[in-house]
Coordinates of all heavy atoms in Angstrom, one line a residue:
E1 N 0.8 -1.2 0.0 CA 0.0 0.0 0.0 C 0.9 1.3 0.0 O 0.6 2.2 -0.7 CB -0.9 0.0 1.2 CG -2.1 -1.0 1.1 CD -3.0 -1.0 2.2 OE1 -2.7 -0.3 3.2 OE2 -4.1 -1.6 2.2
A2 N 2.0 1.3 0.8 CA 2.8 2.4 0.8 C 3.5 2.6 -0.5 O 3.6 3.7 -1.0 CB 3.8 2.2 1.9
Q3 N 4.0 1.5 -1.1 CA 4.6 1.7 -2.5 C 3.7 2.2 -3.5 O 4.0 2.9 -4.4 CB 5.2 0.3 -2.9 CG 6.3 -0.2 -1.9 CD 7.5 0.7 -2.0 OE1 8.0 1.0 -3.1 NE2 8.1 1.1 -0.9
T4 N 2.4 1.7 -3.4 CA 1.4 2.1 -4.4 C 1.1 3.6 -4.3 O 1.0 4.3 -5.3 CB 0.1 1.3 -4.2 OG1 0.4 -0.1 -4.4 CG2 -1.0 1.7 -5.2
R5 N 1.0 4.0 -3.0 CA 0.7 5.5 -2.8 C 1.8 6.3 -3.2 O 1.7 7.5 -3.8 CB 0.3 5.7 -1.4 CG -1.0 5.1 -0.9 CD -1.5 5.5 0.4 NE -2.7 4.8 0.8 CZ -3.9 5.3 0.5 NH1 -4.0 6.4 -0.2 NH2 -5.0 4.6 0.9
A6 N 3.1 5.8 -3.1 CA 4.3 6.6 -3.5 C 4.2 6.7 -5.0 O 4.6 7.8 -5.5 CB 5.5 5.9 -3.0
D7 N 3.9 5.7 -5.7 CA 3.8 5.8 -7.2 C 2.8 6.8 -7.7 O 3.0 7.6 -8.6 CB 3.6 4.4 -7.9 CG 4.9 3.5 -7.8 OD1 5.9 4.0 -7.5 OD2 4.7 2.3 -8.1
V8 N 1.6 6.7 -7.1 CA 0.5 7.6 -7.4 C 1.0 9.0 -7.1 O 0.7 10.0 -7.9 CB -0.8 7.2 -6.7 CG1 -1.8 8.3 -6.9 CG2 -1.3 5.9 -7.2
G9 N 1.6 9.3 -6.0 CA 2.1 10.5 -5.6 C 3.1 11.1 -6.6 O 3.1 12.4 -6.8
Q10 N 3.8 10.2 -7.2 CA 4.9 10.6 -8.2 C 4.2 11.1 -9.5 O 4.6 12.1 -10.1 CB 5.8 9.6 -8.4 CG 6.9 9.8 -9.5 CD 7.7 8.6 -9.8 OE1 7.7 7.6 -9.1 NE2 8.5 8.7 -10.9
W11 N 3.2 10.3 -9.9 CA 2.6 10.5 -11.2 C 1.5 11.5 -11.3 O 1.3 12.3 -12.2 CB 2.1 9.2 -11.8 CG 3.2 8.2 -12.0 CD1 4.4 8.4 -12.5 CD2 3.0 6.8 -11.8 NE1 5.1 7.2 -12.5 CE2 4.3 6.2 -12.2 CE3 2.0 5.9 -11.4 CZ2 4.5 4.8 -12.1 CZ3 2.2 4.6 -11.3 CH2 3.4 4.1 -11.6
L12 N 0.7 11.6 -10.2 CA -0.5 12.4 -10.2 C -0.3 13.9 -10.6 O -1.1 14.4 -11.4 CB -1.2 12.2 -8.9 CG -2.7 12.9 -8.8 CD1 -3.6 12.3 -9.8 CD2 -3.2 12.6 -7.4
P13 N 0.6 14.5 -10.0 CA 0.8 16.0 -10.2 C 0.9 16.4 -11.8 O 0.4 17.4 -12.2 CB 2.0 16.4 -9.5 CG 2.1 15.4 -8.4 CD 1.6 14.1 -9.0
R14 N 1.6 15.5 -12.6 CA 1.7 15.8 -14.0 C 0.4 15.8 -14.7 O 0.3 16.3 -15.8 CB 2.8 15.0 -14.6 CG 2.4 13.6 -14.9 CD 3.4 12.7 -15.6 NE 4.5 12.5 -14.7 CZ 5.4 11.4 -14.8 NH1 5.2 10.6 -15.8 NH2 6.3 11.2 -13.9
Y15 N -0.6 15.0 -14.2 CA -1.9 14.8 -14.9 C -3.0 15.7 -14.4 O -4.0 15.8 -15.1 CB -2.3 13.4 -14.9 CG -1.3 12.4 -15.6 CD1 -0.5 11.5 -14.9 CD2 -1.2 12.5 -17.0 CE1 0.4 10.7 -15.6 CE2 -0.2 11.7 -17.7 CZ 0.5 10.8 -17.0 OH 1.4 10.0 -17.6
L16 N -2.8 16.4 -13.3 CA -3.9 17.2 -12.8 C -4.2 18.4 -13.6 O -5.4 18.7 -13.8 CB -3.5 17.6 -11.3 CG -3.5 16.5 -10.3 CD1 -3.2 17.1 -8.9 CD2 -5.0 15.9 -10.2
P17 N -3.2 19.1 -14.2 CA -3.6 20.2 -15.1 C -4.5 19.7 -16.3 O -4.3 18.7 -16.9 CB -2.3 20.7 -15.6 CG -1.3 20.3 -14.6 CD -1.8 19.0 -14.1
G18 N -5.6 20.4 -16.5 CA -6.5 20.0 -17.5 C -7.7 19.1 -17.1 O -8.6 18.9 -17.8
L19 N -7.6 18.7 -15.8 CA -8.7 17.9 -15.3 C -9.7 18.9 -14.6 O -9.3 19.9 -14.0 CB -8.3 16.9 -14.3 CG -7.4 15.8 -14.8 CD1 -6.9 14.9 -13.6 CD2 -8.1 14.9 -15.9
P20 N -11.0 18.5 -14.5 CA -12.0 19.4 -13.9 C -11.8 19.5 -12.3 O -12.1 20.4 -11.7 CB -13.3 18.8 -14.2 CG -13.1 17.3 -14.5 CD -11.7 17.4 -15.2
R21 N -11.2 18.4 -11.8 CA -11.0 18.3 -10.4 C -10.0 17.2 -10.1 O -9.8 16.3 -10.9 CB -12.3 18.2 -9.6 CG -13.0 16.9 -9.8 CD -14.3 16.9 -9.2 NE -15.0 15.6 -9.2 CZ -15.7 15.2 -10.4 NH1 -15.7 15.9 -11.4 NH2 -16.2 14.0 -10.4
A22 N -9.5 17.2 -8.9 CA -8.6 16.0 -8.5 C -9.6 14.9 -7.9 O -10.7 15.2 -7.5 CB -7.6 16.5 -7.4
P23 N -9.1 13.7 -7.9 CA -9.9 12.6 -7.2 C -10.2 13.0 -5.8 O -9.4 13.6 -5.1 CB -9.0 11.4 -7.4 CG -8.0 11.7 -8.4 CD -7.8 13.2 -8.5
A24 N -11.4 12.7 -5.3 CA -11.8 13.0 -4.0 C -11.0 12.2 -2.9 O -10.6 12.8 -1.9 CB -13.3 12.7 -3.8
R25 N -10.7 11.0 -3.2 CA -9.9 10.2 -2.3 C -9.4 9.0 -3.1 O -9.9 8.7 -4.2 CB -10.7 9.8 -1.1 CG -11.8 8.8 -1.3 CD -12.5 8.4 0.0 NE -13.2 9.6 0.5 CZ -14.5 9.9 0.1 NH1 -15.1 9.2 -0.8 NH2 -15.0 11.0 0.7
L26 N -8.4 8.3 -2.5 CA -7.9 7.1 -3.2 C -8.1 5.9 -2.2 O -7.6 6.0 -1.0 CB -6.4 7.3 -3.5 CG -5.6 6.1 -4.0 CD1 -6.3 5.6 -5.3 CD2 -4.2 6.3 -4.1
R27 N -8.7 4.8 -2.7 CA -8.8 3.6 -2.0 C -8.0 2.5 -2.7 O -8.1 2.4 -3.9 CB -10.3 3.2 -1.8 CG -11.1 4.2 -0.9 CD -12.5 3.7 -0.9 NE -13.2 3.7 -2.2 CZ -13.9 2.7 -2.7 NH1 -14.0 1.6 -2.1 NH2 -14.4 2.9 -3.9
L28 N -7.3 1.7 -1.9 CA -6.5 0.6 -2.5 C -7.3 -0.7 -2.1 O -7.5 -0.9 -0.9 CB -5.1 0.6 -2.0 CG -4.3 1.9 -2.3 CD1 -2.9 1.9 -1.6 CD2 -4.2 2.2 -3.7
K29 N -7.5 -1.6 -3.1 CA -8.3 -2.7 -2.9 C -7.6 -4.0 -3.6 O -6.8 -3.8 -4.5 CB -9.7 -2.6 -3.4 CG -10.5 -1.4 -2.8 CD -11.7 -1.1 -3.6 CE -12.7 -2.2 -3.4 NZ -14.0 -1.9 -4.1
V30 N -8.0 -5.1 -3.2 CA -7.7 -6.3 -3.9 C -8.9 -6.6 -4.8 O -10.0 -7.1 -4.3 CB -7.4 -7.5 -3.0 CG1 -7.1 -8.8 -3.8 CG2 -6.2 -7.2 -2.1
M31 N -8.8 -6.4 -6.1 CA -9.9 -6.6 -7.0 C -9.8 -7.8 -7.7 O -8.7 -8.3 -8.1 CB -9.9 -5.4 -8.0 CG -10.1 -4.1 -7.4 SD -10.2 -2.7 -8.7 CE -10.6 -1.3 -7.6
S32 N -11.0 -8.5 -8.0 CA -11.0 -9.8 -8.7 C -10.8 -9.7 -10.2 O -10.1 -10.5 -10.8 CB -12.3 -10.5 -8.4 OG -13.4 -9.7 -8.8
S33 N -11.3 -8.6 -10.8 CA -11.2 -8.5 -12.2 C -10.8 -7.1 -12.7 O -10.0 -7.0 -13.6 CB -12.6 -8.9 -12.9 OG -13.7 -8.1 -12.4
Q34 N -11.3 -6.1 -12.1 CA -11.0 -4.7 -12.5 C -9.6 -4.3 -12.0 O -9.0 -5.0 -11.1 CB -12.0 -3.7 -11.8 CG -13.4 -3.8 -12.4 CD -14.2 -2.7 -11.7 OE1 -14.5 -2.8 -10.5 NE2 -14.8 -1.9 -12.5
W35 N -9.0 -3.3 -12.7 CA -7.8 -2.7 -12.2 C -8.0 -1.3 -11.5 O -7.1 -0.9 -10.8 CB -6.9 -2.5 -13.4 CG -6.4 -3.8 -13.9 CD1 -6.9 -4.4 -15.1 CD2 -5.5 -4.7 -13.4 NE1 -6.3 -5.7 -15.3 CE2 -5.4 -5.9 -14.3 CE3 -4.6 -4.7 -12.3 CZ2 -4.6 -7.0 -14.0 CZ3 -3.8 -5.7 -12.0 CH2 -3.8 -6.9 -12.9
G36 N -9.1 -0.7 -11.8 CA -9.4 0.6 -11.1 C -10.8 0.9 -11.4 O -11.5 0.3 -12.2
S37 N -11.3 1.9 -10.7 CA -12.7 2.4 -10.8 C -12.8 3.8 -10.3 O -12.0 4.2 -9.4 CB -13.8 1.5 -10.1 OG -13.6 1.5 -8.7
L38 N -13.7 4.6 -10.8 CA -14.0 5.9 -10.3 C -15.5 6.0 -10.0 O -16.3 5.9 -10.8 CB -13.6 7.0 -11.4 CG -13.6 8.4 -10.9 CD1 -12.4 8.7 -10.0 CD2 -13.7 9.4 -12.1
A39 N -15.7 6.3 -8.7 CA -17.1 6.5 -8.2 C -17.7 7.8 -8.6 O -17.0 8.8 -8.9 CB -17.2 6.3 -6.7
P40 N -19.0 7.9 -8.7 CA -19.6 9.3 -9.0 C -19.2 10.4 -8.1 O -19.2 11.5 -8.6 CB -21.1 8.9 -8.8 CG -21.3 7.5 -9.1 CD -20.0 6.9 -8.5
D41 N -18.8 10.1 -6.9 CA -18.4 11.2 -6.0 C -16.9 11.6 -6.3 O -16.4 12.4 -5.5 CB -18.6 10.9 -4.6 CG -17.7 9.7 -4.1 OD1 -17.0 9.1 -4.9 OD2 -17.8 9.4 -2.9
G42 N -16.3 11.0 -7.2 CA -14.9 11.3 -7.5 C -13.9 10.4 -6.8 O -12.7 10.6 -6.9
S43 N -14.3 9.4 -6.0 CA -13.4 8.6 -5.3 C -12.8 7.5 -6.3 O -13.6 7.0 -7.0 CB -14.2 7.8 -4.2 OG -14.7 8.7 -3.2
M44 N -11.5 7.4 -6.2 CA -10.8 6.4 -7.1 C -10.4 5.3 -6.3 O -10.0 5.4 -5.2 CB -9.6 7.1 -7.7 CG -8.8 6.2 -8.6 SD -7.3 6.9 -9.2 CE -8.0 8.4 -10.2
A45 N -10.6 4.1 -6.9 CA -10.2 2.8 -6.3 C -9.1 2.2 -7.3 O -9.4 2.2 -8.5 CB -11.3 1.8 -6.1
L46 N -8.1 1.7 -6.8 CA -7.0 1.0 -7.6 C -6.7 -0.3 -7.0 O -6.7 -0.5 -5.8 CB -5.8 1.9 -7.6 CG -5.8 3.2 -8.3 CD1 -4.6 4.0 -8.1 CD2 -6.2 3.1 -9.9
D47 N -6.4 -1.3 -7.9 CA -6.1 -2.6 -7.5 C -4.7 -2.6 -7.0 O -3.7 -2.2 -7.6 CB -6.2 -3.6 -8.7 CG -6.0 -5.0 -8.3 OD1 -5.9 -5.3 -7.1 OD2 -6.0 -5.9 -9.2

């Protein structure tokens, strides 16, 4: 989880310009088939 958040923290700033908003929060999960999802409230989940 710490390594995943470190990678996201490294990449995210370069993609924020041009987006309507930043993700509301980040959840890390063990997903059976998906790799990620974005909820209507802007919450992002990553496998």
